[in-house]
Amino acid sequence: MNIKVNSREAQASPEQIAYANLLFYVAWGAILLMTITYFLYVTQLITPYIPIQDIPKYWSLPANEFAKHTGNPAGWGWFPLLGKGDFLNFAGISLLGTLTIIGFLTLVPAYIKKKDWSYLTITILEIVILILAASGILGSGGH
Amino acid sequence: MSNRNAKLINWLWMILCFFFLFSPGPLWAAGAVQGSTGMPWWGWPIILFFFCFVLGIIAVLAGVGGGVLYVPLVSAFFPFHLDFVRGAGLFVALSGALAAGPGLLKRNLANLRLALPVALIASTCAIFGAFLGLALPTNIVQICLGAVILFIAILLSTSKNVERPTVTKQDAIGLALGMSGSYLEETSGEIVHWKTHRTLMGFLLFIVIGVAAGMFGLGAGWANVPVLNLLMGAPLKISVATSKFLLSITDTSAAWIYLNKGCVIPLIAIPSIIGLMLGSIVGVRLLAKAKPKLIRYLVIGVLIFAGGKALLKGLGY
């Protein structure tokens, strides 16, 4: 392993710095958002879709059984219920899940500019995989 | 370590041990459908929050990810079904990785050129693992989880990572993908250049790592680091940091599968995420004064216990 004294070589690339900045603000923003929505949920300032006192009755059941008893929606079924106290929490949760996709989107122009076709292909494939996973196309609902 | 910190850590362990010994989890689980829980609805989330806070401290001090402790311990001692524990576990690991990522990327310790190819493999396989884990009967998953946790305990106690592995010649795949870089070694002020070898073998192992991460809802740092460091020859600092960043990609794909399958309950997931995040922050502050070796042995002990319990639970005992 070479050891040289040239600190510029050890610096992160501009696309890496951009990705890092995005991660920092959105990740901590999502965690703050979750803290606020959870407070609104448990204090029942916003009425939940599933009565909060019913959840402990069913949380030891598999997810499909839980859904049968509570009407817990599968896939993106939570999205129209964002106005309910419990599903409002999914705003922060889904933001955490979307953050990596957004981060990868910021890498695309950087790799095009560098004409780094192999990493551009990897980045695009990763975006497709993550979107497929998030979309629910691959499968949602009870198992 | 100062007496004050030693006392604090001893207290944390005593709280955990007390909880393990007197946890009424299985009793609650048995009577759950009838609603004979006895405790108000907010009881378990509060216990979970403090449990995860302590877990967050211990995970940082022991140098392991939160997810690897969260899933076996919460599934063993809380009344929640494994589906919801895995769903929350993935978001716990994901939020920890996302919060740690910026600092590691900026210092060029987590490296995109190393992370991206392996992330593509691991995240694709994590989707398959998530479907597999949700399709298999719970007792089979419990048995496999127990076996994996016991394997991790053995790996943690025997694995000897190398700070700067010697890579004399980069292999063709690593060279073609430009899987190399440099970072500033802050302790000595040196610029360390690194490159990978045995890249194909590393890629193949990331298939297994991805499946395991998705199937069990575990963060896969315990497996990422040895593969990146011992097999592919990345320096230890680069391996640890890139592994943490990798989790944010691998766990995203699996987390969405669990979310779409209705396996994420906010009442369980959010106190877990926030508890572990806060615990990690406190853990980082204690890190400078703690005795990591002792804590690591204690964590290995807890993993053996939790793995054994998951195994027995899966076998119906």
Side-chain angles (χ1 to χ4, degrees), chain A residues 4-16:
Chain A
K4 293 177 187 171
V5 182
N6 181 358
S7 62
R8 285 192 66 184
E9 287 179 54
Q11 285 173 2
S13 59
E15 68 269 17
Q16 197 161 306

Side-chain angles (χ1 to χ4, degrees), chain A residues 1-13 15-17 19-25 27-28 31 34-38 41-44 52-64 66-67 69 72-76 78 85-87 89-90 92-101 104 107 111 114 116 118-119 121-127 129-130 132-143, chain B residues 28-35 37 39-42 44-45 79-81 83-84 86 91 94-95 97-99 101-114 116-117 119-121 123-124 127 131 134-136 138 164-167 176-179 181-184 189-195 233 235 245 248-249 252-254 256-257 259-271 273-274 277 281:
Chain A
M1 191 176 299
N2 300 323
I3 299 177
K4 293 177 187 171
V5 182
N6 181 358
S7 62
R8 285 192 66 184
E9 287 179 54
Q11 285 173 2
S13 59
E15 68 269 17
Q16 197 161 306
I17 297 281
Y19 194 140
N21 286 333
L22 178 90
L23 278 191
F24 178 80
Y25 290 110
W28 283 104
I31 289 163
M34 280 194 293
T35 311
I36 296 166
T37 56
Y38 193 71
Y41 171 41
V42 295
T43 53
Q44 301 187 64
I52 205 163
Q53 60 276 14
D54 285 355
I55 292 176
K57 293 179 194 166
Y58 307 115
W59 61 23
S60 62
L61 299 173
N64 57 342
F66 178 85
H69 286 92
N72 190 37
W76 280 78
W78 56 268
D86 38 3
F87 291 106
N89 289 291
F90 278 64
I93 290 174
S94 62
L95 189 57
L96 279 182
T98 318
L99 183 49
T100 302
I101 303 173
F104 270 82
L107 294 177
Y111 286 132
K114 278 185 167 180
D116 190 341
S118 53
Y119 273 75
T121 310
I122 290 170
T123 304
I124 292 171
L125 283 173
E126 186 66 70
I127 293 168
I129 291 291
L130 294 177
L132 267 176
S135 67
I137 292 171
L138 296 174
S140 60
H143 52 275
Chain B
W28 283 64
V33 182
Q34 289 74 28
T37 52
M39 202 190 277
W41 62 264
W42 42 264
W44 278 111
F80 320 133
H81 191 271
D83 285 354
F84 304 120
R86 285 180 292 170
F91 277 95
L94 176 60
S95 49
L98 287 171
L104 299 172
L105 283 167
K106 281 184 178 175
R107 287 159 68 200
N108 210 19
L109 289 174
N111 188 281
L112 282 180
R113 296 205 78 80
L114 179 59
L116 260 51
L120 180 61
I121 297 167
S123 60
T124 309
I127 295 174
F131 278 115
L134 289 168
L136 288 170
T138 306
R164 291 186 201 172
T166 309
V167 179
L177 289 170
M179 293 173 81
S182 44
Y183 72 98
L184 175 67
E190 295 168 331
I191 304 296
V192 180
H193 292 261
W194 57 268
K195 57 191 177 211
F245 172 67
S248 70
I249 307 164
T252 292
S253 59
W256 274 110
I257 303 299
L259 189 67
N260 284 326
K261 289 275 189 186
C263 300
V264 178
I265 303 178
L267 198 59
I268 298 171
I270 293 183
I273 294 169
I274 295 171
M277 295 293 288
I281 293 167

